[in-house]
């Protein structure tokens, strides 16, 4: 996507001990005296990329990025099948974010999240509203069980052959039940061939769902290096099999807690995996949120979506506080 600032390198980085044997990688770039902002990456299990730094004006933002437990440069890595995921839940990630904020001496920060990152950013803001100065979300998700069921079953009406291959990669006993839980079991199999085949089939399905996005990023899932791909699928199936440990609909139900926090929701109308009505419902329930529909974008974005994203972040940076900096 276009409209990004030039590449930038971190001026500080480290590994934060968050307990349970986990070390979380973090980095900071931009202006040390700038407006604090946190990048909350997607997946879950994608890890941060250098490109995420480039949405922020480096002269006006102090940008913090981190790799959530088990992925990216955090350790232990879920690409190693012996890595225990019991201490990798939404509550753990929210606690990690708070620990990172305290570690860096930040009072309040703006949150930018995309896809799963929007779910995690919303959960954090509803738990710690006094610590959030603004929110920008792209590819809005709330990771309700109904959303998960749509992504791994409902959207099959658009890709019936691809979905049959996704379903039939499971043992017969798992094909009529919770497909995500079935994949989580395959990814815990002691046989590396079984694990690899499951990860490949999962990514093939995810790539099918985004395959009609002519302005997006084809092969965004299957094109990852093998270790990163395995970590992504292990963590995704682990989270989605448990409904992300969120009460059904809680983020929408508690959206009133976001009152006073300005937000911009940027969502592609051609997002088949995360339909537009998810963002629309959230915008209606969140006082002060602005919904930006993008007609040429799906889940993986477009140049138009990128321009809206940079514009929202630029306008937040121009404000003296969260409310006056909200885009109009």
């Amino acid at each position: 996507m276009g409209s990004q600032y030039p590449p930038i390198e971190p001026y500080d980085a480290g590994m934060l001990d968050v307990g349970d044997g986990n070390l979380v990688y973090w980095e900071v770039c931009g202006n040390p005296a700038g407006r604090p902002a946190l990048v909350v990456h997607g997946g879950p299990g994608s890890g941060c990329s250098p490109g995420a730094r480039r949405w922020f004006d480096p002269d006006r933002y102090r940008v913090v990025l981190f790799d959530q437990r088990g992925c990216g440069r955090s350790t232990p890595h879920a690409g190693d099948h012996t890595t225990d995921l019991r201490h990798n839940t939404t509550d753990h990630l929210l606690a990690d974010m708070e620990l990172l904020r305290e570690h860096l001496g930040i009072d309040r920060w703006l949150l930018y999240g995309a896809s799963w990152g929007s779910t995690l950013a919303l959960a954090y803001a509803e738990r710690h509203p006094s610590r959030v100065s603004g929110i920008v979300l792209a590819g809005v998700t709330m990771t309700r069980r109904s959303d998960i069921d749509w992504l791994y079953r409902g959207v099959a009406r658009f890709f019936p052959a691809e979905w049959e291959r996704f379903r039939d990669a499971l043992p017969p006993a798992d094909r009529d039940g919770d497909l995500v839980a079935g994949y989580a079991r395959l990814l815990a199999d002691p046989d590396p061939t079984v694990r690899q085949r499951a990860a490949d089939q999962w990514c093939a399905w995810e790539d099918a769902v985004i395959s009609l996005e002519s302005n997006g990023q084809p092969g965004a899932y299957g094109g990852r290096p093998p270790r990163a791909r395995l970590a992504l699928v292990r963590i995704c199936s682990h989270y989605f099999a448990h409904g992300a440990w969120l009460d059904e609909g809680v983020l929408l139900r508690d959206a009133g807690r976001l009152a006073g926090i300005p937000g911009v929701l940027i969502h592609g109308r051609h997002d088949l995996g995360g339909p537009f009505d998810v963002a629309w419902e959230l915008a209606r329930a969140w006082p002060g949120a602005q919904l930006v529909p993008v007609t040429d974008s799906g889940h993986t974005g477009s140049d138009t979506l990128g321009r809206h994203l940079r514009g929202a972040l630029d306008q937040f940076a121009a404000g003296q506080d969260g409310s006056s900096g909200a885009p109009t």
Side-chain angles (χ1 to χ4, degrees):
M1 289 184 287
S3 303
Q4 290 186 300
Y5 286 94
I8 186 173
E9 293 300 318
Y11 65 79
D12 195 11
M15 301 291 286
L16 182 65
D17 187 342
V18 294
D20 309 310
N22 282 272
L23 297 176
V24 165
Y25 172 84
W26 60 269
E27 63 182 38
V28 189
C29 59
N31 182 352
R35 177 173 186 160
L38 178 70
V39 175
V40 189
H41 70 67
S46 289
C48 264
S49 68
R53 308 168 187 158
R54 298 178 56 198
W55 295 117
F56 298 84
D57 183 340
D59 293 327
R60 298 192 289 182
Y61 274 107
R62 177 188 178 194
V63 187
V64 181
L65 302 92
F66 76 110
D67 290 328
Q68 295 160 29
R69 292 190 183 203
C71 67
R73 291 144 291 187
S74 294
T75 60
H77 197 272
D80 178 351
H81 80 281
T82 64
T83 295
D84 191 343
L85 298 182
R86 285 180 300 171
H87 299 295
N88 195 333
T89 70
T90 301
D91 276 347
H92 286 98
L93 300 187
L94 296 176
D96 295 348
M97 292 163 69
E98 261 299 89
L99 191 62
L100 179 58
R101 183 190 63 77
E102 294 170 356
H103 176 73
L104 296 175
I106 294 172
D107 181 51
R108 299 170 73 226
W109 47 14
L110 178 142
L111 305 179
Y112 160 55
S115 191
W116 156 256
S118 59
T119 292
L120 190 57
L122 288 167
Y124 177 90
E126 291 183 6
R127 184 170 296 189
H128 304 286
S130 65
R131 299 302 182 187
V132 180
S133 64
I135 303 175
V136 177
L137 304 180
V140 180
T141 66
M142 290 187 280
T143 318
R144 297 167 293 191
R145 288 189 180 274
S146 58
D147 301 324
I148 296 166
D149 185 68
W150 168 259
L151 178 56
Y152 296 103
R153 189 179 292 275
V155 76
R157 66 186 61 184
F158 295 99
F159 308 99
E162 294 87 346
W163 184 78
E164 278 193 1
R165 287 194 289 271
F166 174 67
R167 179 199 62 191
D168 292 349
L170 291 169
D174 288 333
R175 293 174 187 172
D176 293 326
D178 185 338
L179 303 186
V180 172
Y183 268 89
R185 286 188 286 273
L186 288 182
L187 288 155
D189 194 280
D191 186 341
T193 303
V194 172
R195 297 195 301 270
Q196 189 60 58
R197 186 183 304 119
D200 290 345
Q201 290 296 330
W202 179 287
C203 289
W205 169 246
E206 297 276 14
D207 282 337
V209 174
I210 63 171
S211 63
L212 302 183
E213 300 180 13
S214 57
N215 294 316
Q217 181 185 354
Y221 297 90
R224 298 165 188 261
R227 187 166 181 262
R229 186 166 68 245
L230 183 57
L232 171 69
V233 179
R234 281 194 72 204
I235 295 172
C236 278
S237 60
H238 171 63
Y239 271 73
F240 297 161
H242 291 91
W245 296 272
L246 295 169
D247 291 341
E248 184 68 1
V250 66
L251 298 181
L252 188 63
R253 186 167 65 246
D254 290 351
R257 293 180 57 81
L258 304 174
I261 301 174
V264 181
L265 314 178
I266 308 169
H267 201 95
R269 284 195 177 273
H270 298 289
D271 189 338
L272 291 179
F276 183 76
D277 68 342
V278 175
W280 183 78
E281 286 181 289
L282 178 61
R284 292 189 69 189
W286 176 356
Q290 175 191 358
L291 176 59
V292 180
V294 185
T295 57
D296 73 348
S297 177
H299 195 70
T300 60
S302 67
D303 287 345
T304 306
L305 188 145
R307 288 193 294 272
H308 282 297
L309 174 55
R310 173 170 163 172
L313 291 169
D314 282 352
Q315 289 194 49
F316 269 113
Q320 298 303 307
D321 56 42
S323 57
S324 62
T328 59

